[in-house]
Amino acid sequence: MASWYRHCSMMPFAAALGCADMGDRTLSDLGEFGLIEKLTSGLATSPAVILGPGDDTAEVNLAGANVLITVDVLIENRHFRKDWSTPIDVGRKAAAASLADIAAMGASASALVVAFAGPGDLPAAWAAACTAGLAQEADLVGACIVGGDVSNADLITIAVTAIGPAPARVVTRSGAQPGDVVAVAGRLGWSAAGFAVLSRGFRSPRALVNAHRVPEPPYALGPQAAHMGATAMIDISDGLIADARHLARASQVLVDLDSDALSVPEELSAAAAAYNIDPRMWMLTGGEDHALLATFPASASLPAGFSIIGSVTAPGDDGPGVSVNHTFDHSRGGYQHFIA
Amino acid sequence: MASWYRHCSMMPFAAALGCADMGDRTLSDLGEFGLIEKLTSGLATSPAVILGPGDDTAEVNLAGANVLITVDVLIENRHFRKDWSTPIDVGRKAAAASLADIAAMGASASALVVAFAGPGDLPAAWAAACTAGLAQEADLVGACIVGGDVSNADLITIAVTAIGPAPARVVTRSGAQPGDVVAVAGRLGWSAAGFAVLSRGFRSPRALVNAHRVPEPPYALGPQAAHMGATAMIDISDGLIADARHLARASQVLVDLDSDALSVPEELSAAAAAYNIDPRMWMLTGGEDHALLATFPASASLPAGFSIIGSVTAPGDDGPGVSVNHTFDHSRGGYQHFIA
């Protein structure tokens, strides 16, 4: 569920021209991030666009005000299963993905619009409860659902767009500096552990299963991190390593993660032992918890809730990216759509 | 593809409570507009929300600026077919739906975000050309694509959110007054005629087929209508009668349409004759052309491009709604998702 926000070029419609160099390649061949690269490589921009594709949200100047905007889509059987989650869970999860993107810019969302599609035989009560879940999650940050669209689709599809006012200081992915500390707030690996539990046909431990059903992004810590001087920030939706890599590449730095600094919660270690898995794998590669990963100057006081898990250095021979315990990570290290 | 924007109530999360009174009803049982009614009936609002669900767009105050926002979703084999349309056509059509909603408020869009989902075996060039189509259509109003999300789905699904600055005078659906004239700008029935042609296996007349593939909303006439004093306005996405009814109900008036005032273009009359159809049926009930329907004081000068097709009166015994040649229309009179 990566977003394809990044600074865009001045070449209008070159995306169409870009078709020629794709040959017969499919979405699966390119993978999620390769596709995003292709789709955004030729987009036009305008003076109103302050931040285009490539960050957690875009930033646009509208009538003199700077506005953040982001969209995320959840699809039945890809992002959720009706037999695993209640419709309220699904609505909350769908809203959380977009609300966390706004938080990761150091901001707070004000409003959501929702495109909802589903099959004709879906109980209307399911759609209503899902909408209630969207509204409940939005209410956690004081946002409202202000509109939407409904349509007919074989599988339930929920695209949530969030908008909010840009604060005076927007924290992008691209401001990390060598010497900064790397810190995280929120859960790591809980959703992945819950997915592992559910995939094996179990419904407990409840804490992990519930974490997979409804993430708990630390929304308030996004603006606090901005206030305390965060130099870069990203919402962890694809996995710690994958999203640290996005931040590292945007900032042209090396992010070194210290796996010993990841304190493994009892809930994760118990489940991991039962499945003979290293719980740190969940914490390093599991997505969908929507924790916040931020970098701060070494001298900064961190907001309560953030823990230091690494440091930023200038890139080495392998270029910008992520190392774990000083070993460069060449893996994909996170979930990508289209790649099995 | 109706949007579910309307003034929302103060009851938080009552949508969840509303589940109880739906019994076993499905989306098909409720129909598109019944579902929208259910989904929006209990939504919370906030001081930032100037216009909630129930109009072509919502209006939200962000950092002191008023912003319009709308979303529309297009789904393969529901809204387009890959064998009928090029990916550029599909991108243009997807963008047009949202851009026309902004125009119908008397405004112009500045930016789009796009949620794109498709199957792994979709050629990447298709996705890139679709993105180019989105960008081309956005460029017609000076808007840019600023971000998005990609995901995996069995059928191509494109949710386009448009935002733009709210003008000093936003034209809603609810301002029509008895005594106003009813006027339309843009094509009526062309997309429906093109659909009829394509459905019969033909690829010509090209003008009609192309109109179904890519609508040509009169974007610039939205702000002009606002400037010239339009009292209410709506984008015709579901059909003239259906959208006139939305406007009439929002304004609590009767809209009387004069079918003789609908001048039938030669292209429509020729195709209608070949299929033994009254071309005015296409014009009265066909959607997806994204013409603009507006009401003006009888004394107003209409912007060039608008033609008077009816008048506004106080509602009669049948209540607010639409009459055609003074006969109240009790039909649904437009396309609704979920109802066969």
Side-chain angles (χ1 to χ4, degrees):
Chain A
M1 215 169 24
S3 296
W4 42 273
Y5 299 88
R6 62 181 192 77
H7 291 280
C8 53
S9 81
M10 296 295 292
M11 297 181 295
F13 317 140
L17 306 175
C19 306
D21 74 1
M22 292 182 205
D24 296 330
R25 282 182 288 174
T26 65
L27 302 196
S28 293
D29 295 335
L30 285 177
E32 183 174 3
F33 299 118
L35 176 64
I36 290 168
E37 180 73 25
K38 287 290 181 191
L39 296 188
T40 58
S41 63
L43 291 175
T45 187
S46 81
V49 180
I50 299 163
L51 191 63
D55 221 299
D56 282 347
T57 78
E59 184 179 1
V60 184
N61 184 281
L62 297 175
N66 292 347
V67 171
L68 302 177
I69 181 167
T70 182
V71 65
D72 277 290
V73 63
L74 261 66
I75 300 177
E76 182 180 356
N77 299 342
R78 313 269 178 192
H79 301 98
F80 65 89
R81 285 173 47 163
K82 286 212 304 283
D83 57 339
W84 285 2
S85 298
T86 69
I88 289 180
D89 292 341
V90 174
R92 293 192 61 183
K93 185 170 188 165
S98 297
L99 296 170
D101 282 332
I102 301 272
M105 306 301 282
S108 186
S110 297
L112 304 182
V113 293
V114 182
F116 181 94
D121 63 359
L122 183 73
W126 199 100
C130 180
T131 304
L134 286 157
Q136 280 181 26
E137 191 71 16
D139 190 59
L140 295 178
V141 301
C144 296
I145 302 177
V146 295
D149 185 31
V150 300
S151 191
N152 199 316
D154 292 337
L155 291 173
I156 299 165
T157 304
I158 310 164
V160 179
T161 303
I163 53 172
R169 189 167 167 275
V170 168
V171 183
T172 67
R173 299 178 179 182
S174 59
Q177 298 288 333
D180 285 353
V181 298
V182 177
V184 70
R187 291 168 166 178
L188 291 177
W190 286 60
S191 180
F195 180 82
V197 169
L198 288 162
S199 298
R200 285 163 173 80
F202 299 112
R203 291 290 183 276
S204 65
R206 296 289 295 183
L208 299 181
V209 168
N210 289 343
H212 179 71
R213 290 171 173 152
V214 181
E216 296 186 8
Y219 297 118
L221 292 183
Q224 285 182 37
H227 184 69
M228 304 290 268
T231 52
M233 189 152 48
I234 189 169
D235 151 51
I236 302 181
S237 53
D238 298 314
L240 173 57
I241 290 177
D243 287 308
R245 184 183 295 121
H246 293 143
L247 185 150
R249 288 181 175 171
S251 296
Q252 292 289 299
V253 297
L254 181 70
V255 166
D256 185 59
L257 301 174
D258 175 6
S259 69
D260 289 338
L262 299 175
S263 60
V264 182
E266 171 60 27
E267 290 87 344
L268 289 194
S269 54
Y275 299 151
N276 198 25
I277 288 172
D278 179 349
R280 286 194 176 81
M281 279 306 294
W282 285 331
M283 300 180 72
L284 287 167
T285 65
E288 300 199 338
D289 286 304
H290 301 293
L292 293 173
L293 182 71
T295 54
F296 295 86
S299 59
S301 301
L302 268 54
F306 273 94
S307 304
I308 293 177
I309 59 166
S311 58
V312 178
T313 65
D317 293 342
D318 291 307
V322 175
S323 58
V324 179
N325 304 330
H326 306 297
T327 300
F328 195 85
D329 187 287
H330 291 280
S331 73
R332 288 193 290 107
Y335 183 76
Q336 276 201 61
H337 284 286
F338 307 118
I339 293 182
Chain B
M1 219 168 22
S3 296
W4 43 273
Y5 299 88
R6 62 182 193 77
H7 291 280
C8 53
S9 83
M10 295 296 291
M11 297 182 296
F13 317 139
L17 307 175
C19 306
D21 74 2
M22 293 181 205
D24 295 330
R25 281 182 289 174
T26 65
L27 301 197
S28 293
D29 295 335
L30 284 177
E32 183 175 2
F33 300 119
L35 176 64
I36 291 169
E37 180 73 26
K38 288 289 180 192
L39 296 188
T40 58
S41 63
L43 291 175
T45 188
S46 82
V49 180
I50 299 164
L51 190 62
D55 221 298
D56 282 347
T57 78
E59 184 177 0
V60 184
N61 185 283
L62 297 175
N66 292 345
V67 171
L68 302 177
I69 181 166
T70 182
V71 65
D72 277 289
V73 62
L74 261 67
I75 300 177
E76 183 180 355
N77 300 342
R78 313 268 178 192
H79 301 99
F80 66 89
R81 284 173 48 163
K82 286 213 304 285
D83 57 339
W84 286 2
S85 299
T86 69
I88 289 181
D89 292 342
V90 173
R92 293 191 60 183
K93 186 170 187 164
S98 297
L99 296 171
D101 281 332
I102 301 272
M105 307 300 281
S108 186
S110 297
L112 304 182
V113 294
V114 181
F116 182 95
D121 63 0
L122 184 73
W126 199 99
C130 180
T131 305
L134 287 157
Q136 280 181 24
E137 192 71 16
D139 190 60
L140 295 178
V141 301
C144 296
I145 302 177
V146 296
D149 185 31
V150 300
S151 191
N152 199 317
D154 292 336
L155 291 173
I156 298 165
T157 304
I158 310 164
V160 179
T161 303
I163 54 171
R169 190 168 167 273
V170 168
V171 183
T172 67
R173 299 178 178 181
S174 59
Q177 298 288 333
D180 285 353
V181 298
V182 177
V184 69
R187 291 168 164 178
L188 291 177
W190 287 61
S191 180
F195 180 81
V197 169
L198 288 162
S199 298
R200 286 165 172 79
F202 298 112
R203 291 291 184 274
S204 66
R206 297 289 294 183
L208 299 181
V209 168
N210 288 344
H212 179 71
R213 290 171 173 151
V214 181
E216 295 187 9
Y219 297 118
L221 293 182
Q224 285 183 37
H227 184 69
M228 303 289 269
T231 52
M233 189 152 48
I234 189 169
D235 151 50
I236 302 181
S237 53
D238 298 315
L240 173 57
I241 291 177
D243 287 309
R245 183 183 296 120
H246 292 143
L247 184 151
R249 288 180 174 170
S251 295
Q252 292 288 300
V253 296
L254 181 69
V255 166
D256 184 59
L257 301 175
D258 175 5
S259 69
D260 289 337
L262 299 174
S263 60
V264 182
E266 170 60 25
E267 292 86 344
L268 289 194
S269 53
Y275 299 151
N276 198 25
I277 287 171
D278 180 349
R280 285 193 177 81
M281 278 306 295
W282 284 333
M283 299 179 74
L284 287 166
T285 64
E288 297 198 341
D289 286 303
H290 302 294
L292 293 173
L293 182 71
T295 55
F296 294 88
S299 59
S301 301
L302 267 55
F306 273 95
S307 303
I308 293 178
I309 59 166
S311 58
V312 178
T313 65
D317 292 342
D318 292 306
V322 175
S323 58
V324 179
N325 305 330
H326 306 299
T327 301
F328 195 85
D329 187 288
H330 291 280
S331 73
R332 287 192 290 109
Y335 183 76
Q336 276 202 62
H337 284 285
F338 307 118
I339 294 184

